[in-house]
Amino acid sequence: MTKRILLSLLTIGSVTVMTFSATTAYYSDTESTNNNTFTTGTLDLDIDGNNGSNTVKFTVNNMSPGNQPKGTYALNNIGTINGYLDLENISVVSYENVCLDPEINAGDITCDDPGQGKGELQDVVNLRLFMDYGCDGWISTGDNVFYDGLVKDLAGSYELDEPLNAGAGICMVALFDWWPTTSDDLAQSDSMALDITFELAQTTGQ
Ligand SMILES: [Ca+2]
Ligand SMILES: [Ca+2]
Ligand SMILES: [Ca+2]
Ligand SMILES: [Ca+2]
């Protein structure tokens, strides 16, 4: 290798080193996005301020024709996400509680004590369920009466899709009416148990 070629190679090497030095000298800047966090909201329903435990609204004793037991459920969305209200898992269970002679005289042939499923109270008592927007306890213009019929004919659920926003509350009234019928004696001493589950869901159709 001649001295000239060697010098040329050294020159190329120097240029390469200079180029690298020039690159590190260019402008630059950085900004960061750190500490990003994600926390869930909540969907939480309470009844009359009662959260996480059963609410007994009715304990009616000594019922007779003409009675109108009524109860208002104050349903509150105490979570942070808007939801929709439905009624689910509705059940009515009757009890005969022995057949008295007025019942037998009226033709009650399904007797037993307690006689689950053999009572007749749910056959003679009417029920109206309505969203009571004014929360005054009565059916006013605009209130949504979504059930009006005998207790025995209640469906297992009502997909109301009633909007209930975070922090808001709404009233639902259960109004029982025992309008006198010719079959009332069949129900003497009988009882019925009604269960309803209120569901607050994130979307309609749940
Ligand atoms: Ca709750
Ligand atoms: Ca009975
Ligand atoms: Ca019976
Ligand atoms: Ca009976």
Side-chain angles (χ1 to χ4, degrees):
M1 188 178 295
T2 63
K3 189 176 181 182
R4 177 175 295 184
I5 292 172
L6 187 60
L7 277 172
S8 295
L9 287 173
L10 283 171
T11 304
I12 290 167
S14 300
V15 169
T16 303
V17 169
M18 281 178 65
T19 302
F20 178 74
S21 299
T23 299
T24 59
Y26 283 155
Y27 288 165
S28 73
D29 185 23
T30 59
E31 299 289 346
S32 61
T33 167
N34 301 328
N35 302 321
N36 301 291
T37 63
F38 303 87
T39 306
T40 59
T42 59
L43 201 55
D44 193 355
L45 179 68
D46 83 24
I47 303 176
D48 301 343
N50 198 0
N51 195 12
S53 57
N54 183 48
T55 298
V56 179
K57 181 60 65 176
F58 295 93
T59 307
V60 183
N61 296 306
N62 221 24
M63 277 184 79
S64 61
N67 284 171
Q68 290 185 295
K70 183 176 73 168
T72 298
Y73 296 89
L75 305 162
N76 306 296
N77 181 349
I78 58 171
T80 61
I81 293 173
N82 298 340
Y84 298 89
L85 196 68
D86 289 329
L87 272 61
E88 315 259 341
N89 303 321
I90 299 172
S91 72
V92 178
V93 178
S94 77
Y95 295 92
E96 184 58 75
N97 304 317
V98 86
C99 267
L100 303 176
D101 67 279
E103 301 181 84
I104 294 167
N105 292 342
D108 194 342
I109 55 168
T110 52
C111 293
D112 211 342
D113 189 9
Q116 181 173 329
K118 296 181 176 180
E120 284 76 30
L121 185 56
Q122 73 288 338
D123 299 344
V124 293
V125 174
N126 196 82
L127 172 62
R128 280 175 286 180
L129 295 174
F130 59 98
M131 303 312 300
D132 182 15
Y133 298 121
C135 209
D136 59 4
W138 299 104
I139 300 171
S140 313
T141 303
D143 285 349
N144 176 21
V145 182
F146 59 89
Y147 184 72
D148 183 0
L150 293 172
V151 172
K152 73 180 177 73
D153 293 326
L154 273 168
S157 64
Y158 292 92
E159 300 294 318
L160 301 177
D161 292 333
E162 179 73 42
L164 187 54
N165 290 343
I170 196 168
C171 292
M172 193 205 83
V173 173
L175 173 58
F176 295 86
D177 295 287
W178 190 346
W179 294 304
T181 75
T182 54
S183 306
D184 290 340
D185 281 332
L186 290 169
Q188 285 205 35
S189 78
D190 298 2
S191 56
M192 61 182 180
L194 171 64
D195 291 350
I196 297 174
T197 299
F198 294 101
E199 180 201 49
L200 183 63
Q202 186 178 345
T203 66
T204 59
Q206 275 182 264

